[in-house]
């Protein structure tokens, strides 16, 4: 049987990321998932999927000696979908979490950050696509011309904060909304849905976050900061509904225009690409 650690009630966590993974895994595997909240729940579990090993309520379940020793004794295969930069991170405790991860003997870990992927020599990075079963909202057709950023800006995002204000200085259509977790997820999506252009500077690592895929799903054009190395891992950067920039000078020279919608990207297709059924051992 397949177990999952994913506390994904959207009203509790404030985003759809974990729930997207639960929905897509169920759609793709077409098998029941057993929620694991303690060692007791590992009875009859052959494979355990952990959605975000860094999320504190998830850590409280798995990051302890008893849980890890039990997994290893039962030789449970553990598949981890990671959403945090691990090495050289703004969050120094991420290394400690990774040290616990590496005590799990039978594991497959899909990391998000491309530098982490290089260090760990993996072939795929984790993607934050939506599920085919996810419906964020009906698309607003008559969107404003704002170049909108809505998200976290605090001491953990010093580079993002600086870049946003530099971008605002070169284009007066840039609008910045600092969330501070004061909006419900529905309110966040409603605001996102109103803007034609969604500005998405890099945060704490070199990876594409959920906001990118939410915006595309809502018919927005994403204005995405990137690095040359990211293009190897993220072909979606070259879609016609994505405008990309590396520096403030690049941003200043963007020709903002309306684009045609592209093929939608879904987690179910990503799971097929990484052969998740083979990894779990489902025939």
């Amino acid at each position: 049987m397949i177990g999952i650690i994913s506390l994904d009630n959207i009203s509790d966590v404030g985003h759809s990321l974990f729930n997207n993974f639960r929905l897509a895994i169920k759609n793709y595997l077409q098998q029941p998932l057993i929620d694991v909240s303690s060692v007791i729940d590992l009875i009859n579990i052959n494979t355990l999927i952990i959605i975000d090993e860094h999320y504190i309520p998830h850590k409280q379940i798995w990051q302890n000696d008893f849980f890890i020793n039990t997994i290893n004794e039962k030789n449970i295969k553990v598949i981890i979908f990671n959403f945090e930069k691990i090495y050289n991170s703004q969050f120094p405790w991420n290394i400690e979490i990774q040290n616990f991860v590496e005590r799990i003997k039978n594991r497959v870990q899909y990391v998000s950050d491309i530098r982490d992927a290089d260090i760990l020599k993996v072939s795929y990075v984790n993607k934050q696509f939506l599920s085919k079963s996810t419906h964020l909202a009906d698309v607003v057709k008559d969107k404003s011309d704002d170049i909108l950023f809505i998200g976290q800006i605090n001491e953990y995002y010093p580079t993002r904060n600086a870049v946003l204000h530099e971008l605002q200085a070169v284009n007066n259509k840039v609008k910045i909304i600092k969330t501070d977790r004061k909006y419900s997820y529905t309110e966040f999506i409603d605001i996102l849905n109103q803007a034609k252009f969604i500005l998405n500077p890099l945060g704490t690592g070199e990876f594409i976050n959920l906001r990118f895929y939410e915006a595309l799903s809502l018919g927005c054009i994403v204005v995405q900061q990137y690095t040359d190395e990211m293009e190897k891992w993220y072909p979606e950067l070259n879609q016609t509904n994505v405008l990309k920039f590396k520096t403030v000078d690049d941003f200043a020279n963007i020709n903002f225009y309306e684009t045609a919608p592209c093929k939608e990207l879904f987690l179910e297709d990503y799971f097929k690409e990484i052969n998740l059924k083979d990894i779990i051992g489902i025939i």
Side-chain angles (χ1 to χ4, degrees):
M1 299 185 74
I2 301 168
I4 187 169
I5 297 178
S6 180
L7 301 172
D8 49 41
N9 184 296
I10 292 173
S11 62
D12 292 335
V13 299
H15 56 72
S16 67
L17 182 59
F18 302 162
N19 189 247
N20 294 336
F21 269 76
R22 177 187 292 274
L23 292 172
I25 289 168
K26 288 178 71 174
N27 289 344
Y28 173 73
L29 296 180
Q30 291 294 300
Q31 294 206 13
L33 300 174
I34 308 300
D35 282 287
V36 172
S37 58
S38 72
V39 169
I40 296 171
D41 299 321
L42 293 175
I43 296 173
N44 299 323
I45 297 296
N46 301 311
T47 300
L48 176 64
I49 298 172
I50 302 177
I51 310 299
D52 191 357
E53 75 281 27
H54 290 249
Y55 182 51
I56 290 174
H58 295 171
K59 284 171 52 184
Q60 291 170 343
I61 297 171
W62 77 267
Q63 193 183 331
N64 61 79
D65 292 341
F66 186 39
F67 195 94
I68 291 173
N69 289 341
T70 302
I71 284 172
N72 288 337
E73 288 168 6
K74 294 171 66 69
N75 195 32
I76 294 171
K77 175 168 281 186
V78 177
I79 300 170
I80 300 170
F81 292 101
N82 157 278
F83 304 106
E84 294 272 353
K85 181 176 176 63
I86 298 167
Y87 302 101
N88 304 307
S89 170
Q90 284 285 118
F91 311 112
W93 52 84
N94 286 0
I95 285 290
E96 179 186 351
I97 297 169
Q98 184 64 16
N99 289 338
F100 272 87
V101 166
E102 292 178 359
R103 290 173 53 191
I104 300 172
K105 294 177 181 177
N106 189 3
R107 72 179 187 277
V108 178
Q109 184 183 26
Y110 293 96
V111 296
S112 285
D113 184 80
I114 65 168
R115 303 296 178 181
D116 290 345
D118 287 338
I119 290 169
L120 295 172
K121 296 179 170 56
V122 296
S123 301
Y124 293 96
V125 292
N126 190 23
K127 298 289 185 83
Q128 299 187 25
F129 299 137
L130 305 186
S131 166
K132 292 179 179 179
S133 295
T134 300
H135 178 71
L136 298 177
D138 293 337
V139 173
V140 171
K141 301 294 185 183
D142 187 19
K143 298 181 185 294
S144 75
D145 287 332
D146 290 332
I147 305 169
L148 174 67
F149 170 82
I150 177 171
Q152 292 283 83
I153 312 170
N154 54 38
E155 68 273 19
Y156 295 119
Y157 300 89
T159 303
R160 173 190 282 176
N161 191 20
V163 166
L164 280 169
H165 287 93
E166 289 177 28
L167 299 180
Q168 197 170 44
V170 301
N171 192 319
N172 60 16
K173 287 189 176 182
V174 171
K175 181 179 179 181
I176 300 171
I177 299 178
K178 182 178 179 180
T179 56
D180 282 335
R181 304 194 185 281
K182 62 187 177 185
Y183 297 100
S184 71
Y185 188 59
T186 299
E187 290 169 334
F188 171 85
I189 290 298
D190 285 345
I191 295 169
L192 204 68
N193 202 0
Q194 301 297 320
K196 186 179 295 182
F197 301 100
I198 298 301
L199 180 56
N200 204 27
L202 295 176
T204 58
E206 288 179 70
F207 57 89
I208 292 180
N209 60 11
L210 177 61
R211 188 184 303 109
F212 179 96
Y213 303 105
E214 290 167 332
L216 292 183
S217 176
L218 294 169
C220 308
I221 298 167
V222 181
V223 185
Q224 176 68 47
Q225 188 180 26
Y226 75 109
T227 63
D228 287 332
E229 293 80 4
M230 286 174 66
E231 288 194 289
K232 165 189 170 184
W233 300 92
Y234 291 99
E236 53 266 39
L237 283 168
N238 295 307
Q239 292 190 166
T240 58
N241 51 358
V242 177
L243 303 175
K244 57 188 182 180
F245 69 99
K246 287 181 275 191
T247 66
V248 174
D249 287 342
D250 291 342
F251 177 83
N253 292 313
I254 287 177
N255 179 23
F256 288 92
Y257 55 90
E258 294 197 41
T259 62
C262 290
K263 178 184 176 182
E264 291 191 79
L265 306 167
F266 294 110
L267 274 170
E268 287 87 342
D269 300 319
Y270 167 72
F271 293 148
K272 183 176 181 180
E273 180 184 351
I274 66 174
N275 296 312
L276 184 58
K277 285 182 180 177
D278 290 346
I279 292 164
I280 293 174
I282 296 174
I283 299 174

